[in-house]
Amino acid sequence: MNEYQKLKGKLFSLFSNKIKCRLENIFSISQHLNNPHIDFKSIHVAGTNGKGSVATKIAKALSLSGYKTALYTSPHITSYEERISIDGKLISKKDVKVLLKKIFKFRKKLKIYLSFFEITTLLAFLYFSKKKVDFAIIETGLGGRLDATNIITPILSIITSISLDHTNILGDTIDLIAFEKAGIIKPKIPVVIGRKANVEPIIKKAKKSKSQLYISEKIKINAFYDDENASIALRALEVFSLKYPLKKSAIKKALKIRPQARFEIFKTFGPKAIIFDVAHNLDGFIELKKALKLFFPNKKVRVVFGFSKQKDTLSCLKLLKTFSSFIHVTEAKSFKSLPKEEIKKALLKINFKKYKIEKNISAAILDAKNLAIKNKEILLICGSFYILDEIKKQLKIK
């Protein structure tokens, strides 16, 4: 095992179910690292769904307009380095190694607890500072108010949508979740919100902060869910361009960009189509169902499904039941994964009998793929970020 692998192993061992939500530790260590987050202008993006897509579109538009643009998103699907990039180029393993060593050294010296996400956030900020980027598009990890990224003071805040997710941490009502997301709003800094984020706690926080509020354009009821993301990104870019010039051609091209596993379609692997989608909460599955109806009307859909703990499994499966011909239940190699037996209990509870508990992910994708080809079905892989990487590797998708 080389030094890079050892350091990354140490970092990944910091994953914990006991999430310590506070900003004091990251503020403290950031000060000792000369506050790298103040060395560049930033745009902060929060929201239940769509924030990764919106952040990616904005970063692309700025990059294509000639600005040196950084992007920080999470989680990653294939490699850790996906989280941190500049103008589309991922951070190198060498830079990860050098910066992790530096952070771990300060962490030990100061005897400060830092979580996996806090360390990764610091790593991103140090890297963006070192590379002297013009702008950094920063996606929150969870919530907003106490999220590690919230030590920044951005030039623009964006909240994409509000729906029920991570209720054990953020609260079990829309208002409580909105309050947490609204925590990224800073005094007199403009705020762009999506139509699904147009809720009272966010409006109140914007007014209290004397922040100019902009709402994205309305889209058609049955439109593709990425049209909503494009609408939010466009509004944000319009506000951004009030101070910083952008190329119209760059905006047009960027709005069409989608990150991987956002209704990502492959048609060369046997079934009529294989779709990867990171739908992992009820709102995500509602939009996924609409997208399937829009792009593949009247087609049968076979599903490979894994889920994470602390999600609304029952509600998501009830909806999945309405458009699935068969569900192959699997589980990723992650402590965050919901055990297959728990998914089985939920399927029995909703009286859905067309399912199979697969031995592992390899067996799940092989079985599902062959049957999808035989029955001329669409193959959908969804429910968890963590199963997507393993399945892509299994199918040799780079």
Side-chain angles (χ1 to χ4, degrees):
M1 189 184 286
N2 60 33
E3 190 177 19
Y4 165 79
Q5 289 168 330
K6 283 179 183 175
L7 284 164
K8 220 172 82 165
K10 186 177 178 181
L11 174 65
F12 276 74
S13 72
L14 295 172
F15 268 126
S16 171
N17 285 321
K18 295 177 181 177
I19 297 171
K20 300 183 179 184
C21 293
R22 60 173 186 261
L23 294 177
E24 290 93 332
N25 289 349
I26 192 166
F27 260 124
S28 178
I29 202 160
S30 188
Q31 285 175 338
H32 284 87
L33 292 166
N34 297 319
N35 292 316
H37 59 284
I38 67 172
D39 293 338
F40 48 84
K41 294 180 179 70
S42 55
I43 294 173
H44 208 181
V45 188
T48 306
N49 291 315
K51 59 186 183 289
S53 294
V54 169
T56 300
K57 291 175 195 296
I58 292 169
K60 190 69 175 176
L62 270 59
S63 187
L64 289 172
S65 293
Y67 299 108
K68 191 172 185 179
T69 309
L71 177 63
Y72 178 52
T73 60
S74 62
H76 62 273
I77 291 174
T78 305
S79 72
Y80 175 74
E81 288 74 27
E82 286 169 29
R83 295 168 178 254
I84 301 165
S85 63
I86 297 173
D87 292 331
K89 187 180 179 183
L90 307 189
I91 186 172
S92 69
K93 289 181 179 180
K94 183 182 176 183
D95 280 309
V96 169
K97 182 179 79 173
V98 169
L99 295 174
L100 274 182
K101 279 175 75 174
K102 186 174 185 177
I103 295 166
F104 279 131
K105 182 183 172 184
F106 272 90
R107 180 173 168 259
K108 187 177 180 181
K109 182 183 174 183
L110 299 170
K111 295 177 181 176
I112 288 176
Y113 169 86
L114 289 175
S115 68
F116 170 93
F117 188 72
E118 286 170 325
I119 289 173
T120 302
T121 301
L122 280 173
L123 196 159
F125 292 168
L126 283 168
Y127 182 63
F128 299 157
S129 169
K130 176 185 171 184
K131 294 294 182 179
K132 294 181 170 56
V133 302
D134 298 316
F135 298 98
I137 318 305
I138 308 295
E139 178 193 351
T140 60
L142 180 65
R145 184 174 64 94
L146 297 175
D147 188 79
T149 62
N150 205 28
I151 63 172
I152 63 173
T153 300
I155 59 167
L156 176 64
S157 303
I158 302 165
I159 302 173
T160 59
S161 65
I162 302 294
S163 60
L164 295 175
D165 198 9
H166 300 292
T167 50
N168 59 312
I169 298 166
L170 302 179
D172 57 5
T173 68
I174 292 294
D175 277 4
L176 286 172
I177 291 170
F179 171 78
E180 293 297 330
K181 309 283 185 190
I184 71 163
I185 297 172
K186 302 294 195 302
K188 297 180 181 179
I189 302 296
V191 186
V192 170
I193 62 171
R195 293 270 159 179
K196 291 179 181 176
N198 192 11
V199 291
E200 192 181 349
I202 289 169
I203 295 161
K204 278 174 72 175
K205 180 66 188 290
K207 282 180 181 176
K208 189 179 177 182
S209 302
K210 296 179 181 177
S211 300
Q212 181 71 48
L213 188 67
Y214 300 87
I215 303 173
S216 65
E217 291 294 316
K218 202 170 184 178
I219 61 165
K220 294 175 185 176
I221 293 171
N222 292 317
F224 178 37
Y225 70 74
D226 197 56
D227 292 348
E228 174 78 15
N229 298 330
S231 174
I232 297 164
L234 177 60
R235 198 78 180 100
L237 291 166
E238 287 169 350
V239 174
F240 177 90
S241 66
L242 295 173
K243 283 192 176 182
Y244 308 96
L246 290 170
K247 293 177 183 175
K248 285 183 180 179
S249 59
I251 294 171
K252 190 177 178 181
K253 190 173 180 181
L255 294 179
K256 294 175 184 175
I257 297 289
R258 290 206 307 271
Q260 61 171 322
R262 273 69 168 189
F263 210 75
E264 187 179 20
I265 303 167
F266 295 92
K267 292 187 176 180
T268 55
F269 291 91
K272 294 180 85 66
I274 297 179
I275 301 165
F276 288 83
D277 195 277
V278 293
H280 58 281
N281 53 43
L282 185 57
D283 196 52
F285 277 100
I286 289 168
E287 294 301 328
L288 175 56
K289 182 179 179 178
K290 279 161 60 177
L292 284 163
K293 193 174 178 182
L294 189 66
F295 287 92
F296 299 98
N298 306 314
K299 294 286 189 294
K300 286 187 176 181
V301 181
R302 183 171 292 269
V303 180
V304 176
F305 178 83
F307 223 43
S308 295
K309 292 173 186 171
Q310 297 162 343
K311 297 285 181 183
D312 187 0
T313 315
L314 211 60
S315 295
C316 292
L317 283 173
K318 274 181 185 175
L319 189 62
L320 194 59
K321 173 186 174 180
T322 64
F323 62 88
S324 303
S325 61
F326 196 93
I327 299 174
H328 298 260
V329 178
T330 190
E331 182 183 334
K333 296 169 189 171
S334 167
F335 76 87
K336 290 189 175 184
S337 292
L338 185 69
K340 291 178 283 189
E341 287 305 312
E342 292 299 312
I343 298 173
K344 182 183 177 179
K345 284 178 190 174
L347 286 166
L348 291 171
K349 203 167 186 178
I350 63 171
N351 196 31
F352 187 77
K353 296 172 183 176
K354 293 179 180 178
Y355 72 88
K356 181 183 178 185
I357 305 297
E358 298 285 0
K359 184 182 176 184
N360 51 44
I361 284 179
S362 297
I365 193 60
L366 187 65
D367 195 18
K369 182 185 165 188
N370 289 338
L371 286 166
I373 293 168
K374 183 183 174 182
N375 297 319
K376 296 179 180 177
E377 296 165 313
I378 303 297
L379 181 55
L380 170 67
I381 292 106
C382 65
S384 167
F385 280 91
Y386 301 101
I387 67 167
L388 300 177
D389 176 36
E390 290 185 51
I391 291 174
K392 281 196 167 188
K393 282 173 181 170
Q394 186 74 22
L395 290 171
K396 294 183 171 60
I397 295 174
K398 291 183 180 180

